[in-house]
Amino acid sequence: MIDRLRDIVGSKGLITDQSEMEPYLTDWRGRKQGRALCVVLPATTDEVAAVMRLATAERQPVFPQGGNTGLCYGAVPDSRKADKSGIVLSLRRMNQIRSIDRAANVATVDAGVILANLHEAVHAVGRQFPLHLGSEGSAQIGGLISTNAGGTGVVRYGPIRDLVAGLEVVLADGRVLRDLAGLRKDNTGYLLRHLFIGAEGTLGIVTGAALHLHPLMANSAHAWVAVPDPAAAVALLAVLQDKAGPYIEAFELLSASQIQLVARHVENVRIPFSAIPAWSVMIELSSVDASTGLSEILEAALGDAFESGIATDAVIAASERQASEIWHIRHSVSEANKKEGIGVVHDVAVRTSDVPGFIAAADRVSSERFPEAVTQVVCHLGDGNVHYILMFAHAYWAALADKDAFALEVEQAIHDVAAAFSGTFSAEHGVGRKLTQELERLCDPVRYELMLQVKQMLDPDNRMNPGVLLPSTKAAAEGRAT
Amino acid sequence: MIDRLRDIVGSKGLITDQSEMEPYLTDWRGRKQGRALCVVLPATTDEVAAVMRLATAERQPVFPQGGNTGLCYGAVPDSRKADKSGIVLSLRRMNQIRSIDRAANVATVDAGVILANLHEAVHAVGRQFPLHLGSEGSAQIGGLISTNAGGTGVVRYGPIRDLVAGLEVVLADGRVLRDLAGLRKDNTGYLLRHLFIGAEGTLGIVTGAALHLHPLMANSAHAWVAVPDPAAAVALLAVLQDKAGPYIEAFELLSASQIQLVARHVENVRIPFSAIPAWSVMIELSSVDASTGLSEILEAALGDAFESGIATDAVIAASERQASEIWHIRHSVSEANKKEGIGVVHDVAVRTSDVPGFIAAADRVSSERFPEAVTQVVCHLGDGNVHYILMFAHAYWAALADKDAFALEVEQAIHDVAAAFSGTFSAEHGVGRKLTQELERLCDPVRYELMLQVKQMLDPDNRMNPGVLLPSTKAAAEGRAT
């Protein structure tokens, strides 16, 4: 097997040394360790296809890997079979930007292109690719697509799913689906690409993508607005959508408890209000047109909001420095929370209109079942994505007998609240190996059956990233599908 | 069968009288006539599911029907089996708007809601559903979704696929996939809904939908710009995208030959140029914010365009009346062409950047193979969607021995040109019964195999709208899938 792999990808494309393999076998936070026969690094789509044909003949599992920046262990190889430990297939050598079509606003890239490199290349021709997240210096396009990455721009541009104009995918058996025309309109049958977006490498290997580009922004305005409660924040969002819907770049709701932690643990925090407001919203508007009066639009909208009582105080940034001071607080949340204690963070989403109800219900559950926790809310309100956090003191956590079991108990309690609002337990982080049981527990049964049928159709031997997303045994899949 | 159907849907929900069935059996232009056992009109999703279970037990084909406004005969029932002529399943009695969620910008509706009624309902709460087409007074949401309808707003809002936040679908066997949460973010496995969008009723019956709403526009600007050639129009679009990308509501390229026909056959046509330009572009910008200086943005962009020679003359509408005069010409194209002769109209799309190359190549093919035709171009340039028209004199057409065969010859010649640019032969009209052979001929083979596999997975007995999109015999499907 190893020799035949070397024939396909050359010595440069193969790692068999255990210590060199290490970074490919462990998640980036060092929490999970997997194993594999070797790491293969093909340089072309044809090489990927040849590797997949060989893996099919040898009945070896394949674990596709992008930048290995996931949070749910979806890139950790683990076949659970001693004799078929499988191969890690890294896309990192496929790192070419194939073309940038400025008129069509489409960039065509290899799956291994790092997000930050794409940003740089399209900026150079006056365009942006509006996907931004903390790991953009190492996350790769193929992995971002396979996990349907979100990031901070979702309220305006959607997740990466909405930015994909086409895909090139190598299927489990080595067939290549070529769908890179990047057409804006095509009504010739079933659109298959969405099956592979967010499939976490379980249906095929994304080797290339056509991506929609957007114009650069020339102008922005920033505000921090105190609101009496989450319902008022929802009403404020609606007012802003009337006046400035297409300009909303960010709309972030924070609880006082969260801002207090930032003020306690982080340097250079300036609170422009006389007291930290119980609830507040940080807003960014931006426009491609430098003459758009964004601050005036904000002022007018806030004027209406004060009159109707949905805003109680507000600061509009008068300078870039003031804008940075506002967003410094938002971006310091993780740092502050790490210093405070052990936070069990949830990544749920409900409809924007249901966010106030969800928060109230989650607060009730938390105070009844986990009275030791202090709760914080950090919410991308425009997406309905609530990071609802239960913060436990280090001492309390250290004394727990079974930390994993306790964390699961907390998570399930909050997931159940989201489910009661037809919400999701994983808005942007995915399922990976971490949440497969929650998926089986909470997914609509018909949808789950269909997912198993799709898996059976495209990967009948369950060799593509087995154990991720769906149960790892073929029998389990068949048991549900029939 | 009929009695058991009546038990499910009641007498109000069943038509068996042949003359009453007539409108459901014939396409709206009266070109194709089908047949069926009866027409069933369920009032609820549960009734649809019960009908599908019964049809499964009785092995009867099912032909879902919306407003019956398609152009490719996708709603004409034709099982090609004497003993199993099947039932037409009309969604027209499922016509309730279930809810409008202003904060989440989501409307949830029955599939039988007529598009114009949805427009009215969401306008009443200060929102728009930005899908507009000629048939909006009778087209239904379910049919629009099943054909992935386009219309005039695609350059800004995308086709209806981009406006669907969730679906409710009754599967061939009567299972119901409920996906109406309408979340903006959900990363819990395969997203199945895109399989049913544009599937033309061959995989399941769309019974409900959650739809994204957009803010109303407060402000617009209109221009008609003469350009030297299609390449200059592409360059002008790029300039405008830099300055005003998010405001572009329409960007329509027309050949002089097309405008001449409108001037010849239509009343009240005003050409504001000294002569009809060889090529010209009609532009609309719009904004939610009344203070946006759209005319100033247009003027600045056109100033740059004049300097670089990509525009040679231009008129910016100074009043609503002038704007109407411009768009009157665009909207009179069909009327003018019908009066002129027999137009073989193509609905191809290529990338915007390939439009000039496509037009040049199509012109060459036309003049070599069909010298009797005059060609016209009407192009949604922002989408790369070219309606390339070969116009034949009535007398020439009347003298043709086999008109259908000749039309097919013309169509295949132009489709081949589009295919050479990785383009599509059906940008927005779909496949229906009209273009199934073109799909088989031109589709990427791996994609076609996968489409057959998907069909096999969701409709193994080929009872859902058989003969539409894919070959009508089960054997044909199996032959390709294995």
mmCIF file with all atom_site columns, all heavy atoms in Angstrom, chain A residues 101 127 175 186-188 242 353 424 447 449, chain B residues 101 127 175 186 242 353 424 426 447 449:
data_model
loop_
_atom_site.group_PDB
_atom_site.id
_atom_site.type_symbol
_atom_site.label_atom_id
_atom_site.label_alt_id
_atom_site.label_comp_id
_atom_site.label_asym_id
_atom_site.label_entity_id
_atom_site.label_seq_id
_atom_site.pdbx_PDB_ins_code
_atom_site.Cartn_x
_atom_site.Cartn_y
_atom_site.Cartn_z
_atom_site.occupancy
_atom_site.B_iso_or_equiv
_atom_site.pdbx_formal_charge
_atom_site.auth_seq_id
_atom_site.auth_comp_id
_atom_site.auth_asym_id
_atom_site.auth_atom_id
_atom_site.pdbx_PDB_model_num
ATOM 1   N N   . ASP A 1 101 ? -11.502 35.895 -11.538 1.00 0.00 ? 101 ASP A N   1
ATOM 2   C CA  . ASP A 1 101 ? -12.283 36.476 -12.626 1.00 0.00 ? 101 ASP A CA  1
ATOM 3   C C   . ASP A 1 101 ? -13.014 37.688 -12.049 1.00 0.00 ? 101 ASP A C   1
ATOM 4   O O   . ASP A 1 101 ? -14.038 37.564 -11.394 1.00 0.00 ? 101 ASP A O   1
ATOM 5   C CB  . ASP A 1 101 ? -13.262 35.414 -13.143 1.00 0.00 ? 101 ASP A CB  1
ATOM 6   C CG  . ASP A 1 101 ? -14.073 35.895 -14.325 1.00 0.00 ? 101 ASP A CG  1
ATOM 7   O OD1 . ASP A 1 101 ? -14.230 37.120 -14.492 1.00 0.00 ? 101 ASP A OD1 1
ATOM 8   O OD2 . ASP A 1 101 ? -14.559 35.032 -15.078 1.00 0.00 ? 101 ASP A OD2 1
ATOM 9   N N   . ARG A 1 127 ? -11.195 43.342 -4.716  1.00 0.00 ? 127 ARG A N   1
ATOM 10  C CA  . ARG A 1 127 ? -12.365 42.578 -4.299  1.00 0.00 ? 127 ARG A CA  1
ATOM 11  C C   . ARG A 1 127 ? -12.115 42.019 -2.906  1.00 0.00 ? 127 ARG A C   1
ATOM 12  O O   . ARG A 1 127 ? -10.974 41.981 -2.434  1.00 0.00 ? 127 ARG A O   1
ATOM 13  C CB  . ARG A 1 127 ? -12.625 41.414 -5.275  1.00 0.00 ? 127 ARG A CB  1
ATOM 14  C CG  . ARG A 1 127 ? -13.069 41.838 -6.670  1.00 0.00 ? 127 ARG A CG  1
ATOM 15  C CD  . ARG A 1 127 ? -14.508 42.342 -6.677  1.00 0.00 ? 127 ARG A CD  1
ATOM 16  N NE  . ARG A 1 127 ? -14.957 42.676 -8.015  1.00 0.00 ? 127 ARG A NE  1
ATOM 17  C CZ  . ARG A 1 127 ? -14.817 43.879 -8.573  1.00 0.00 ? 127 ARG A CZ  1
ATOM 18  N NH1 . ARG A 1 127 ? -14.223 44.862 -7.921  1.00 0.00 ? 127 ARG A NH1 1
ATOM 19  N NH2 . ARG A 1 127 ? -15.279 44.094 -9.791  1.00 0.00 ? 127 ARG A NH2 1
ATOM 20  N N   . ARG A 1 175 ? -14.179 8.720  -8.699  1.00 0.00 ? 175 ARG A N   1
ATOM 21  C CA  . ARG A 1 175 ? -14.796 9.554  -9.728  1.00 0.00 ? 175 ARG A CA  1
ATOM 22  C C   . ARG A 1 175 ? -14.656 11.021 -9.338  1.00 0.00 ? 175 ARG A C   1
ATOM 23  O O   . ARG A 1 175 ? -14.631 11.358 -8.145  1.00 0.00 ? 175 ARG A O   1
ATOM 24  C CB  . ARG A 1 175 ? -16.294 9.227  -9.863  1.00 0.00 ? 175 ARG A CB  1
ATOM 25  C CG  . ARG A 1 175 ? -16.603 7.958  -10.623 1.00 0.00 ? 175 ARG A CG  1
ATOM 26  C CD  . ARG A 1 175 ? -18.105 7.748  -10.722 1.00 0.00 ? 175 ARG A CD  1
ATOM 27  N NE  . ARG A 1 175 ? -18.728 7.580  -9.412  1.00 0.00 ? 175 ARG A NE  1
ATOM 28  C CZ  . ARG A 1 175 ? -20.048 7.574  -9.200  1.00 0.00 ? 175 ARG A CZ  1
ATOM 29  N NH1 . ARG A 1 175 ? -20.883 7.737  -10.195 1.00 0.00 ? 175 ARG A NH1 1
ATOM 30  N NH2 . ARG A 1 175 ? -20.525 7.399  -7.984  1.00 0.00 ? 175 ARG A NH2 1
ATOM 31  N N   . ASP A 1 186 ? -28.237 28.254 -13.458 1.00 0.00 ? 186 ASP A N   1
ATOM 32  C CA  . ASP A 1 186 ? -28.157 26.981 -14.158 1.00 0.00 ? 186 ASP A CA  1
ATOM 33  C C   . ASP A 1 186 ? -29.282 26.108 -13.658 1.00 0.00 ? 186 ASP A C   1
ATOM 34  O O   . ASP A 1 186 ? -29.251 25.638 -12.520 1.00 0.00 ? 186 ASP A O   1
ATOM 35  C CB  . ASP A 1 186 ? -26.793 26.312 -13.901 1.00 0.00 ? 186 ASP A CB  1
ATOM 36  C CG  . ASP A 1 186 ? -26.638 25.020 -14.688 1.00 0.00 ? 186 ASP A CG  1
ATOM 37  O OD1 . ASP A 1 186 ? -27.446 24.766 -15.593 1.00 0.00 ? 186 ASP A OD1 1
ATOM 38  O OD2 . ASP A 1 186 ? -25.696 24.264 -14.398 1.00 0.00 ? 186 ASP A OD2 1
ATOM 39  N N   . ASN A 1 187 ? -30.295 25.906 -14.485 1.00 0.00 ? 187 ASN A N   1
ATOM 40  C CA  . ASN A 1 187 ? -31.443 25.090 -14.073 1.00 0.00 ? 187 ASN A CA  1
ATOM 41  C C   . ASN A 1 187 ? -31.511 23.807 -14.874 1.00 0.00 ? 187 ASN A C   1
ATOM 42  O O   . ASN A 1 187 ? -32.460 23.541 -15.587 1.00 0.00 ? 187 ASN A O   1
ATOM 43  C CB  . ASN A 1 187 ? -32.737 25.901 -14.228 1.00 0.00 ? 187 ASN A CB  1
ATOM 44  C CG  . ASN A 1 187 ? -33.024 26.717 -12.982 1.00 0.00 ? 187 ASN A CG  1
ATOM 45  O OD1 . ASN A 1 187 ? -32.346 26.572 -11.965 1.00 0.00 ? 187 ASN A OD1 1
ATOM 46  N ND2 . ASN A 1 187 ? -34.009 27.571 -13.054 1.00 0.00 ? 187 ASN A ND2 1
ATOM 47  N N   . THR A 1 188 ? -30.485 22.982 -14.726 1.00 0.00 ? 188 THR A N   1
ATOM 48  C CA  . THR A 1 188 ? -30.442 21.721 -15.450 1.00 0.00 ? 188 THR A CA  1
ATOM 49  C C   . THR A 1 188 ? -30.342 20.561 -14.462 1.00 0.00 ? 188 THR A C   1
ATOM 50  O O   . THR A 1 188 ? -29.417 19.772 -14.498 1.00 0.00 ? 188 THR A O   1
ATOM 51  C CB  . THR A 1 188 ? -29.255 21.677 -16.427 1.00 0.00 ? 188 THR A CB  1
ATOM 52  O OG1 . THR A 1 188 ? -28.052 21.914 -15.687 1.00 0.00 ? 188 THR A OG1 1
ATOM 53  C CG2 . THR A 1 188 ? -29.385 22.751 -17.482 1.00 0.00 ? 188 THR A CG2 1
ATOM 54  N N   . ASP A 1 242 ? -35.042 48.206 8.444   1.00 0.00 ? 242 ASP A N   1
ATOM 55  C CA  . ASP A 1 242 ? -35.863 49.092 7.610   1.00 0.00 ? 242 ASP A CA  1
ATOM 56  C C   . ASP A 1 242 ? -35.014 50.162 6.943   1.00 0.00 ? 242 ASP A C   1
ATOM 57  O O   . ASP A 1 242 ? -35.184 50.473 5.788   1.00 0.00 ? 242 ASP A O   1
ATOM 58  C CB  . ASP A 1 242 ? -36.911 49.817 8.473   1.00 0.00 ? 242 ASP A CB  1
ATOM 59  C CG  . ASP A 1 242 ? -38.021 48.884 8.911   1.00 0.00 ? 242 ASP A CG  1
ATOM 60  O OD1 . ASP A 1 242 ? -38.171 47.819 8.292   1.00 0.00 ? 242 ASP A OD1 1
ATOM 61  O OD2 . ASP A 1 242 ? -38.728 49.233 9.866   1.00 0.00 ? 242 ASP A OD2 1
ATOM 62  N N   . SER A 1 353 ? -36.109 36.175 16.137  1.00 0.00 ? 353 SER A N   1
ATOM 63  C CA  . SER A 1 353 ? -37.287 36.548 16.919  1.00 0.00 ? 353 SER A CA  1
ATOM 64  C C   . SER A 1 353 ? -37.453 35.685 18.168  1.00 0.00 ? 353 SER A C   1
ATOM 65  O O   . SER A 1 353 ? -38.145 36.080 19.106  1.00 0.00 ? 353 SER A O   1
ATOM 66  C CB  . SER A 1 353 ? -38.539 36.436 16.045  1.00 0.00 ? 353 SER A CB  1
ATOM 67  O OG  . SER A 1 353 ? -38.511 35.217 15.316  1.00 0.00 ? 353 SER A OG  1
ATOM 68  N N   . THR A 1 424 ? -31.086 24.871 16.725  1.00 0.00 ? 424 THR A N   1
ATOM 69  C CA  . THR A 1 424 ? -30.058 23.872 16.489  1.00 0.00 ? 424 THR A CA  1
ATOM 70  C C   . THR A 1 424 ? -29.017 23.896 17.601  1.00 0.00 ? 424 THR A C   1
ATOM 71  O O   . THR A 1 424 ? -28.736 24.953 18.172  1.00 0.00 ? 424 THR A O   1
ATOM 72  C CB  . THR A 1 424 ? -29.349 24.096 15.137  1.00 0.00 ? 424 THR A CB  1
ATOM 73  O OG1 . THR A 1 424 ? -28.306 23.130 14.990  1.00 0.00 ? 424 THR A OG1 1
ATOM 74  C CG2 . THR A 1 424 ? -28.718 25.487 15.051  1.00 0.00 ? 424 THR A CG2 1
ATOM 75  N N   . ARG A 1 447 ? -35.191 13.374 8.529   1.00 0.00 ? 447 ARG A N   1
ATOM 76  C CA  . ARG A 1 447 ? -33.954 13.975 8.015   1.00 0.00 ? 447 ARG A CA  1
ATOM 77  C C   . ARG A 1 447 ? -32.768 13.051 8.301   1.00 0.00 ? 447 ARG A C   1
ATOM 78  O O   . ARG A 1 447 ? -31.895 12.865 7.454   1.00 0.00 ? 447 ARG A O   1
ATOM 79  C CB  . ARG A 1 447 ? -33.735 15.355 8.656   1.00 0.00 ? 447 ARG A CB  1
ATOM 80  C CG  . ARG A 1 447 ? -32.510 16.010 8.130   1.00 0.00 ? 447 ARG A CG  1
ATOM 81  C CD  . ARG A 1 447 ? -32.334 17.476 8.511   1.00 0.00 ? 447 ARG A CD  1
ATOM 82  N NE  . ARG A 1 447 ? -30.960 17.799 8.177   1.00 0.00 ? 447 ARG A NE  1
ATOM 83  C CZ  . ARG A 1 447 ? -30.020 18.118 9.063   1.00 0.00 ? 447 ARG A CZ  1
ATOM 84  N NH1 . ARG A 1 447 ? -30.318 18.238 10.341  1.00 0.00 ? 447 ARG A NH1 1
ATOM 85  N NH2 . ARG A 1 447 ? -28.786 18.321 8.667   1.00 0.00 ? 447 ARG A NH2 1
ATOM 86  N N   . GLU A 1 449 ? -32.788 9.753  8.699   1.00 0.00 ? 449 GLU A N   1
ATOM 87  C CA  . GLU A 1 449 ? -32.869 8.618  7.774   1.00 0.00 ? 449 GLU A CA  1
ATOM 88  C C   . GLU A 1 449 ? -32.325 8.993  6.401   1.00 0.00 ? 449 GLU A C   1
ATOM 89  O O   . GLU A 1 449 ? -31.579 8.241  5.777   1.00 0.00 ? 449 GLU A O   1
ATOM 90  C CB  . GLU A 1 449 ? -34.337 8.194  7.583   1.00 0.00 ? 449 GLU A CB  1
ATOM 91  C CG  . GLU A 1 449 ? -34.911 7.336  8.675   1.00 0.00 ? 449 GLU A CG  1
ATOM 92  C CD  . GLU A 1 449 ? -36.430 7.196  8.535   1.00 0.00 ? 449 GLU A CD  1
ATOM 93  O OE1 . GLU A 1 449 ? -36.954 7.339  7.399   1.00 0.00 ? 449 GLU A OE1 1
ATOM 94  O OE2 . GLU A 1 449 ? -37.074 6.974  9.555   1.00 0.00 ? 449 GLU A OE2 1
ATOM 95  N N   . ASP B 1 101 ? -42.585 36.563 9.930   1.00 0.00 ? 101 ASP B N   1
ATOM 96  C CA  . ASP B 1 101 ? -41.747 36.891 11.083  1.00 0.00 ? 101 ASP B CA  1
ATOM 97  C C   . ASP B 1 101 ? -40.859 38.057 10.658  1.00 0.00 ? 101 ASP B C   1
ATOM 98  O O   . ASP B 1 101 ? -39.852 37.897 9.989   1.00 0.00 ? 101 ASP B O   1
ATOM 99  C CB  . ASP B 1 101 ? -40.918 35.660 11.443  1.00 0.00 ? 101 ASP B CB  1
ATOM 100 C CG  . ASP B 1 101 ? -40.044 35.869 12.675  1.00 0.00 ? 101 ASP B CG  1
ATOM 101 O OD1 . ASP B 1 101 ? -39.720 37.043 12.990  1.00 0.00 ? 101 ASP B OD1 1
ATOM 102 O OD2 . ASP B 1 101 ? -39.682 34.867 13.299  1.00 0.00 ? 101 ASP B OD2 1
ATOM 103 N N   . ARG B 1 127 ? -41.854 44.779 4.116   1.00 0.00 ? 127 ARG B N   1
ATOM 104 C CA  . ARG B 1 127 ? -40.793 43.927 3.606   1.00 0.00 ? 127 ARG B CA  1
ATOM 105 C C   . ARG B 1 127 ? -41.106 43.595 2.144   1.00 0.00 ? 127 ARG B C   1
ATOM 106 O O   . ARG B 1 127 ? -42.235 43.759 1.680   1.00 0.00 ? 127 ARG B O   1
ATOM 107 C CB  . ARG B 1 127 ? -40.702 42.626 4.416   1.00 0.00 ? 127 ARG B CB  1
ATOM 108 C CG  . ARG B 1 127 ? -40.203 42.819 5.843   1.00 0.00 ? 127 ARG B CG  1
ATOM 109 C CD  . ARG B 1 127 ? -38.723 43.149 5.893   1.00 0.00 ? 127 ARG B CD  1
ATOM 110 N NE  . ARG B 1 127 ? -38.226 43.235 7.259   1.00 0.00 ? 127 ARG B NE  1
ATOM 111 C CZ  . ARG B 1 127 ? -38.190 44.352 7.965   1.00 0.00 ? 127 ARG B CZ  1
ATOM 112 N NH1 . ARG B 1 127 ? -38.625 45.491 7.438   1.00 0.00 ? 127 ARG B NH1 1
ATOM 113 N NH2 . ARG B 1 127 ? -37.713 44.352 9.191   1.00 0.00 ? 127 ARG B NH2 1
ATOM 114 N N   . ARG B 1 175 ? -43.454 9.867  3.596   1.00 0.00 ? 175 ARG B N   1
ATOM 115 C CA  . ARG B 1 175 ? -42.743 10.469 4.733   1.00 0.00 ? 175 ARG B CA  1
ATOM 116 C C   . ARG B 1 175 ? -42.693 11.985 4.538   1.00 0.00 ? 175 ARG B C   1
ATOM 117 O O   . ARG B 1 175 ? -42.639 12.458 3.398   1.00 0.00 ? 175 ARG B O   1
ATOM 118 C CB  . ARG B 1 175 ? -41.311 9.936  4.821   1.00 0.00 ? 175 ARG B CB  1
ATOM 119 C CG  . ARG B 1 175 ? -41.177 8.547  5.395   1.00 0.00 ? 175 ARG B CG  1
ATOM 120 C CD  . ARG B 1 175 ? -39.715 8.123  5.476   1.00 0.00 ? 175 ARG B CD  1
ATOM 121 N NE  . ARG B 1 175 ? -39.104 8.055  4.145   1.00 0.00 ? 175 ARG B NE  1
ATOM 122 C CZ  . ARG B 1 175 ? -37.806 7.884  3.922   1.00 0.00 ? 175 ARG B CZ  1
ATOM 123 N NH1 . ARG B 1 175 ? -36.963 7.779  4.945   1.00 0.00 ? 175 ARG B NH1 1
ATOM 124 N NH2 . ARG B 1 175 ? -37.333 7.813  2.700   1.00 0.00 ? 175 ARG B NH2 1
ATOM 125 N N   . ASP B 1 186 ? -27.012 26.642 10.729  1.00 0.00 ? 186 ASP B N   1
ATOM 126 C CA  . ASP B 1 186 ? -27.270 25.294 11.264  1.00 0.00 ? 186 ASP B CA  1
ATOM 127 C C   . ASP B 1 186 ? -26.250 24.352 10.639  1.00 0.00 ? 186 ASP B C   1
ATOM 128 O O   . ASP B 1 186 ? -26.341 24.039 9.454   1.00 0.00 ? 186 ASP B O   1
ATOM 129 C CB  . ASP B 1 186 ? -28.695 24.852 10.930  1.00 0.00 ? 186 ASP B CB  1
ATOM 130 C CG  . ASP B 1 186 ? -29.032 23.493 11.531  1.00 0.00 ? 186 ASP B CG  1
ATOM 131 O OD1 . ASP B 1 186 ? -28.271 23.009 12.386  1.00 0.00 ? 186 ASP B OD1 1
ATOM 132 O OD2 . ASP B 1 186 ? -30.057 22.918 11.142  1.00 0.00 ? 186 ASP B OD2 1
ATOM 133 N N   . ASP B 1 242 ? -17.484 48.121 -8.467  1.00 0.00 ? 242 ASP B N   1
ATOM 134 C CA  . ASP B 1 242 ? -16.567 48.775 -7.539  1.00 0.00 ? 242 ASP B CA  1
ATOM 135 C C   . ASP B 1 242 ? -17.270 49.859 -6.729  1.00 0.00 ? 242 ASP B C   1
ATOM 136 O O   . ASP B 1 242 ? -17.051 49.998 -5.531  1.00 0.00 ? 242 ASP B O   1
ATOM 137 C CB  . ASP B 1 242 ? -15.417 49.457 -8.313  1.00 0.00 ? 242 ASP B CB  1
ATOM 138 C CG  . ASP B 1 242 ? -14.432 48.452 -8.877  1.00 0.00 ? 242 ASP B CG  1
ATOM 139 O OD1 . ASP B 1 242 ? -14.423 47.309 -8.407  1.00 0.00 ? 242 ASP B OD1 1
ATOM 140 O OD2 . ASP B 1 242 ? -13.680 48.831 -9.790  1.00 0.00 ? 242 ASP B OD2 1
ATOM 141 N N   . SER B 1 353 ? -17.949 37.158 -17.685 1.00 0.00 ? 353 SER B N   1
ATOM 142 C CA  . SER B 1 353 ? -16.723 37.466 -18.425 1.00 0.00 ? 353 SER B CA  1
ATOM 143 C C   . SER B 1 353 ? -16.670 36.756 -19.771 1.00 0.00 ? 353 SER B C   1
ATOM 144 O O   . SER B 1 353 ? -15.930 37.175 -20.672 1.00 0.00 ? 353 SER B O   1
ATOM 145 C CB  . SER B 1 353 ? -15.501 37.076 -17.589 1.00 0.00 ? 353 SER B CB  1
ATOM 146 O OG  . SER B 1 353 ? -15.682 35.781 -17.036 1.00 0.00 ? 353 SER B OG  1
ATOM 147 N N   . THR B 1 424 ? -24.387 26.764 -19.656 1.00 0.00 ? 424 THR B N   1
ATOM 148 C CA  . THR B 1 424 ? -25.550 25.886 -19.541 1.00 0.00 ? 424 THR B CA  1
ATOM 149 C C   . THR B 1 424 ? -26.565 26.196 -20.633 1.00 0.00 ? 424 THR B C   1
ATOM 150 O O   . THR B 1 424 ? -26.691 27.344 -21.059 1.00 0.00 ? 424 THR B O   1
ATOM 151 C CB  . THR B 1 424 ? -26.223 26.039 -18.165 1.00 0.00 ? 424 THR B CB  1
ATOM 152 O OG1 . THR B 1 424 ? -27.381 25.193 -18.129 1.00 0.00 ? 424 THR B OG1 1
ATOM 153 C CG2 . THR B 1 424 ? -26.681 27.464 -17.905 1.00 0.00 ? 424 THR B CG2 1
ATOM 154 N N   . SER B 1 426 ? -29.760 25.739 -20.126 1.00 0.00 ? 426 SER B N   1
ATOM 155 C CA  . SER B 1 426 ? -30.999 26.191 -19.488 1.00 0.00 ? 426 SER B CA  1
ATOM 156 C C   . SER B 1 426 ? -30.680 26.960 -18.222 1.00 0.00 ? 426 SER B C   1
ATOM 157 O O   . SER B 1 426 ? -30.438 26.384 -17.169 1.00 0.00 ? 426 SER B O   1
ATOM 158 C CB  . SER B 1 426 ? -31.918 25.015 -19.183 1.00 0.00 ? 426 SER B CB  1
ATOM 159 O OG  . SER B 1 426 ? -33.183 25.506 -18.762 1.00 0.00 ? 426 SER B OG  1
ATOM 160 N N   . ARG B 1 447 ? -21.878 13.887 -13.066 1.00 0.00 ? 447 ARG B N   1
ATOM 161 C CA  . ARG B 1 447 ? -23.036 14.567 -12.472 1.00 0.00 ? 447 ARG B CA  1
ATOM 162 C C   . ARG B 1 447 ? -24.331 13.858 -12.864 1.00 0.00 ? 447 ARG B C   1
ATOM 163 O O   . ARG B 1 447 ? -25.231 13.678 -12.035 1.00 0.00 ? 447 ARG B O   1
ATOM 164 C CB  . ARG B 1 447 ? -23.062 16.029 -12.933 1.00 0.00 ? 447 ARG B CB  1
ATOM 165 C CG  . ARG B 1 447 ? -24.179 16.785 -12.310 1.00 0.00 ? 447 ARG B CG  1
ATOM 166 C CD  . ARG B 1 447 ? -24.170 18.291 -12.501 1.00 0.00 ? 447 ARG B CD  1
ATOM 167 N NE  . ARG B 1 447 ? -25.473 18.744 -12.107 1.00 0.00 ? 447 ARG B NE  1
ATOM 168 C CZ  . ARG B 1 447 ? -26.373 19.285 -12.926 1.00 0.00 ? 447 ARG B CZ  1
ATOM 169 N NH1 . ARG B 1 447 ? -26.059 19.543 -14.173 1.00 0.00 ? 447 ARG B NH1 1
ATOM 170 N NH2 . ARG B 1 447 ? -27.569 19.604 -12.499 1.00 0.00 ? 447 ARG B NH2 1
ATOM 171 N N   . GLU B 1 449 ? -24.739 10.663 -13.670 1.00 0.00 ? 449 GLU B N   1
ATOM 172 C CA  . GLU B 1 449 ? -24.808 9.418  -12.893 1.00 0.00 ? 449 GLU B CA  1
ATOM 173 C C   . GLU B 1 449 ? -25.303 9.683  -11.472 1.00 0.00 ? 449 GLU B C   1
ATOM 174 O O   . GLU B 1 449 ? -26.145 8.953  -10.950 1.00 0.00 ? 449 GLU B O   1
ATOM 175 C CB  . GLU B 1 449 ? -23.414 8.783  -12.778 1.00 0.00 ? 449 GLU B CB  1
ATOM 176 C CG  . GLU B 1 449 ? -22.945 7.990  -13.976 1.00 0.00 ? 449 GLU B CG  1
ATOM 177 C CD  . GLU B 1 449 ? -21.446 7.656  -13.866 1.00 0.00 ? 449 GLU B CD  1
ATOM 178 O OE1 . GLU B 1 449 ? -20.941 7.538  -12.736 1.00 0.00 ? 449 GLU B OE1 1
ATOM 179 O OE2 . GLU B 1 449 ? -20.808 7.540  -14.918 1.00 0.00 ? 449 GLU B OE2 1
#
